[in-house]
Amino acid sequence: MTLPYVAGEASPASSYLDEGHSVTSWLATTDHKRIAILYALSITVFFFIGGIAIALVRLELISPTGWFMTSDEYNRAFTIHGIIMVWFFLVPSIPATMGNFILPLMIGAPDVAFPRLNLMSWYLYVLGAAFTVYVLLSGGVDTGWTFYPPFSSDYSHSDVIPAAIGVFVVGFSSIATGVNFLATIHMLRAPGMTWFRLPLFAWSMYVVSMVMVLATPVLAMSLLLICAQRYFHFPIFDPSAGGDPLLFQHLFWFYSHPAVYIMILPAMGVVSEIFACFARRRVFGYTFMVFALLMIGVVGFMVWGHHMFVAGQSPLANLIFSFLSFIVAVPSAIKVFNWTATLYRGQIGYEAPMIYALGFLGLFTIGGLTGLFLASVPIDIAATDSYFVVAHFHTIMVGATVSAFMAGIHYWWPKITGRCYNEFWAQFAAITMFLGFNLTFLPQFIMGWLGMPRRYHYYPDVFQIWHVLSSGGAMILAAAYVLPLVYLGWSLFAGERAGDNPWHATGLEWQTSSPPPKHNFLRPPRITSEPYAYHEFGRAREEGQETPIGQQGEVP
C-alpha cells in the first residue's frame, strides 16, 4: 500500500542545537530553526512588556475614579500595550516562530529560500523594537495604537515619530518574511509535494505571506505621512490647507484589517494540524479549507471600511462594506464547520495541544459571531468606541490567536527541543487560560452593550462590578500565561527525551529526528500520498506493515 509520507532518512549527525554554542553562532546563524528561536525569545519579551502595561490599566480600572494613574499616564499605558501587542507580538507570533521553524520541515526543504534575508528580517525586528524601547523609556506615546490624526500629527506632546518609525521598520521585517515564505513554498517543495498535498499550515503561511507583502507597504506609507505632517508640517491630513482628515483612516485600515488575518490565518493552520492529529482523522473537506483560506485572504482586503461607519462615509459605502463584512464571515464559518466535522466521531485525545486548540475553536466562534453584530451598520454605530468592540477584537486577536500559538508551541515542542514537558501542568494552564480569558472579556461585552465607552479613565459607578470581574479575570489570565514559562523552561533541563514522533502524527516534520539536524533531512524526502492520511496509517498498523510514523517515543 501507499504510505502517507515517505521521508528521507534523518541525518545521524548532531542536531541544529549542537552547531555551535557561542553567542556569535546564534547571532550570525542562517539556520531557519535557530532564527525561529531568536524570534521566539524576542516576541516573548515584548509579550510580557505589553502584558505588564495592560495589567496596570486593569488595576487602575478597578476603581471608578482611578487609583494611581493620571489620565495622561493611562493613555500612554494602553497605547504602548496596543503598539507592542499588535506589531511586536501578534503579527510576527506564529509566522516568525513556528512558520520559520516548521514550514521548511513540513514541505521537505533544507532551509528557507533566502537564509540571509531571514536573518536580516530578525535584525529589522530588533531595530524596530529598539525604537519602541526608546519610546517606552522616554515616557511613552499617547495617541492610541491607531495613530489617528490630527492628534498624532499636530497635538500630541509624546514621542509619536520614534513610535511610528519603530512600527515602520518592523513592517519591513514582515515583508521580508513574507517574500521568503512565498519563494520557499514555490521553489523548495519536496518531490511529490503538489499544491494539494500541502498541509493546511503551509497553505496558511502561503496566504498570510501574500497579505503581508501586499498590505504592509500601505501601513509604512501612512506612518511616513504622519511623520511628514508632524515634522515638516506638510498639510496631508489638514482640511484647512486642502488635506483630507479621513485619508489616514482609509490607509491605516486598508492595512490593519488584513492584519487581522495576518494574525488569525496562521492560527487556523496550526489548529488544523492539531485537530487532525488528535482526532486521528483526515481534515474534513481539505479542498474547501484551502479555498476558504484563499477567500479570506482576498476578501479581507475589501472590508476596511467597516471600521469607519461613523467617520462620515456615504450610506452607499457603508452598505457595500457591511455586505462584504458579512461575506468574509462565510469562509470562516466553513472552517469552523469543517473543524467540527473533523472532530466528529474521532478518536480524540485531550493532550495539552488539543485543549488549547479547542479553546481556540470556542473563542474564534464567539469572536466571529460578535463580529457579525459589528458588520451591521446600525448596531456598529451604537457599539462604536465601546467595550463591546474591545471585547470582540481581543476575543479574535488575543483569545483565538494566543490559544493557537500556545497549541502550536506545545504540539511542536518535542520536535523543537527534543524534550517532553509536564503534561498535567500544560493541561492545567490551557484550561486556566480559557477560563481566565472569558472572565476577562465576557464582562466587557456586557458593559459595552450597556454603553461603557473604551479608553475612559473614569467611569460611572454602575460599571464597577464589570470592571472588577474583568480585572480579576485578567489576573487569572496572567497566571496562565506565566505558567508555561515555568514548565517549558524546566523541560529544557529536566524533561524526558522525546521520540522523533511522540504524537504519532503523519506530518513530514515528524519524519526526521528530534531535534532536527541542521539541514533537516539526510536525503530529500519524497511524498507519495495526501496529508492527514491517518486512515492509511491505521490500516498499515492493523496489517502489521512497517510505517514511517509513530515508531518511537511516548506522548509527553
Side-chain angles (χ1 to χ4, degrees):
M1 65 177 289
T2 302
L3 293 171
Y5 281 91
V6 178
E9 181 184 348
S11 171
S14 59
S15 77
Y16 76 97
L17 295 172
D18 298 321
E19 299 291 330
H21 300 284
S22 66
V23 174
T24 303
S25 70
W26 281 86
L27 296 181
T29 184
T30 55
D31 185 347
H32 68 99
K33 298 178 288 296
R34 286 193 166 209
I35 293 171
I37 301 299
L38 293 175
Y39 263 117
L41 294 173
S42 303
I43 68 169
T44 299
V45 170
F46 279 92
F47 176 78
F48 283 101
I49 292 174
I52 290 170
I54 203 59
L56 295 175
V57 168
R58 290 292 351 144
L59 287 173
E60 178 73 3
L61 289 173
I62 290 175
S63 169
T65 57
W67 275 12
F68 54 88
M69 287 186 184
T70 65
S71 296
D72 184 60
E73 290 169 344
Y74 177 81
N75 290 345
R76 292 169 189 255
F78 73 69
T79 297
I80 203 68
H81 162 75
I83 290 173
I84 286 177
M85 283 301 198
V86 171
W87 284 297
F88 294 91
F89 176 73
L90 288 171
V91 167
S93 59
I94 296 177
T97 57
M98 283 166 269
N100 250 323
F101 197 105
I102 298 299
L103 179 62
L105 287 164
M106 188 172 274
I107 65 174
D111 207 315
V112 293
F114 307 115
R116 290 182 179 85
L117 180 64
N118 199 17
L119 179 61
M120 188 186 79
S121 73
W122 178 72
Y123 276 106
L124 287 171
Y125 176 92
V126 172
L127 179 60
F131 279 95
T132 304
V133 170
Y134 165 77
V135 170
L136 188 64
L137 296 177
S138 65
V141 61
D142 62 355
T143 62
W145 72 278
T146 54
F147 293 99
Y148 271 10
F151 184 59
S152 63
S153 58
D154 297 306
Y155 299 109
S156 174
H157 297 293
S158 60
D159 289 318
V160 176
I161 291 179
I165 291 175
V167 176
F168 175 84
V169 172
V170 83
F172 282 94
S173 173
S174 295
I175 294 170
T177 299
V179 168
N180 222 337
F181 286 176
L182 288 172
T184 301
I185 294 171
H186 270 277
M187 306 302 296
L188 297 183
R189 301 194 310 277
M193 180 69 81
T194 61
W195 282 101
F196 284 94
R197 286 180 177 172
L198 279 176
L200 289 172
F201 179 74
W203 269 111
S204 72
M205 287 294 102
Y206 184 78
V207 176
V208 81
S209 296
M210 288 195 294
V211 175
M212 287 193 293
V213 170
L214 295 175
T216 309
V218 180
L219 172 70
M221 289 187 292
S222 61
L223 293 176
L224 280 181
L225 293 177
I226 286 289
C227 294
Q229 178 161 332
R230 185 173 179 86
Y231 190 78
F232 297 107
H233 306 292
F234 294 163
I236 302 164
F237 307 115
D238 182 0
S240 65
D244 184 349
L246 292 183
L247 174 60
F248 178 84
Q249 291 188 39
H250 282 288
L251 293 173
F252 181 84
W253 290 115
F254 184 81
Y255 161 80
S256 291
H257 195 82
V260 170
Y261 302 113
I262 292 175
M263 304 173 208
I264 203 65
L265 284 171
M268 293 175 173
V270 169
V271 299
S272 296
E273 303 298 319
I274 292 172
F275 285 146
C277 176
F278 290 98
R280 316 310 300 171
R281 295 191 64 195
R282 70 171 68 185
V283 174
F284 181 85
Y286 168 87
T287 303
F288 277 88
M289 295 287 269
V290 170
F291 282 106
L293 286 170
L294 292 169
M295 185 177 177
I296 290 170
V298 172
V299 181
F301 277 98
M302 305 177 186
V303 299
W304 79 90
H306 75 216
H307 295 273
M308 301 172 61
F309 284 157
V310 298
Q313 290 182 145
S314 70
L316 177 61
N318 283 351
L319 176 64
I320 292 171
F321 282 120
S322 176
F323 174 75
L324 290 171
S325 298
F326 282 107
I327 290 297
V328 80
V330 173
S332 297
I334 289 172
K335 300 191 78 63
V336 171
F337 172 81
N338 285 13
W339 287 323
T340 306
T342 301
L343 297 175
Y344 177 65
R345 301 185 68 177
Q347 301 174 10
I348 298 175
Y350 292 100
E351 288 81 8
M354 186 61 159
I355 297 175
Y356 276 115
L358 290 171
F360 164 90
L361 184 58
L363 294 173
F364 180 71
T365 302
I366 294 171
L369 291 174
T370 54
L372 294 177
F373 284 75
L374 298 175
S376 173
V377 176
I379 297 177
D380 182 85
I381 289 173
T384 291
D385 282 337
S386 75
Y387 263 87
F388 190 91
V389 176
V390 174
H392 160 70
F393 178 85
H394 283 78
T395 301
I396 292 289
M397 295 300 92
V398 180
T401 300
V402 175
S403 292
F405 175 77
M406 297 299 290
I409 289 292
H410 286 76
Y411 179 57
W412 284 301
W413 186 261
K415 181 59 59 179
I416 294 169
T417 66
R419 297 282 185 170
C420 300
Y421 49 81
N422 186 294
E423 182 66 23
F424 169 79
W425 285 111
Q427 292 171 327
F428 178 79
I431 295 170
T432 303
M433 192 179 98
F434 182 78
L435 296 176
F437 184 88
N438 282 287
L439 182 57
T440 303
F441 290 101
L442 286 181
Q444 295 187 21
F445 276 118
I446 295 170
M447 72 172 112
W449 198 252
L450 295 175
M452 172 70 203
R454 64 179 177 176
R455 298 179 176 177
Y456 272 50
H457 189 210
Y458 300 153
Y459 57 87
D461 292 347
V462 68
F463 295 116
Q464 184 175 17
I465 181 61
W466 303 113
H467 276 295
V468 170
L469 286 172
S470 184
S471 295
M475 298 304 105
I476 296 173
L477 188 59
Y481 287 153
V482 171
L483 193 55
L485 279 183
V486 178
Y487 63 76
L488 292 178
W490 173 87
S491 73
L492 294 175
F493 303 98
E496 295 182 8
R497 295 282 182 180
D500 291 345
N501 190 2
W503 307 118
H504 305 299
T506 61
L508 188 56
E509 72 272 21
W510 298 104
Q511 314 311 316
T512 187
S513 58
S514 297
K518 181 177 181 180
H519 296 295
N520 300 340
F521 301 95
L522 181 63
R523 291 179 289 113
R526 182 173 295 276
I527 313 305
T528 59
S529 187
E530 63 180 279
Y532 315 117
Y534 287 98
H535 60 296
E536 296 189 15
F537 170 55
R539 285 203 303 268
R541 296 189 70 178
E542 289 173 4
E543 296 170 6
Q545 295 189 28
E546 187 72 14
T547 70
I549 54 181
Q551 293 191 357
Q552 299 182 43
E554 298 295 331
V555 175

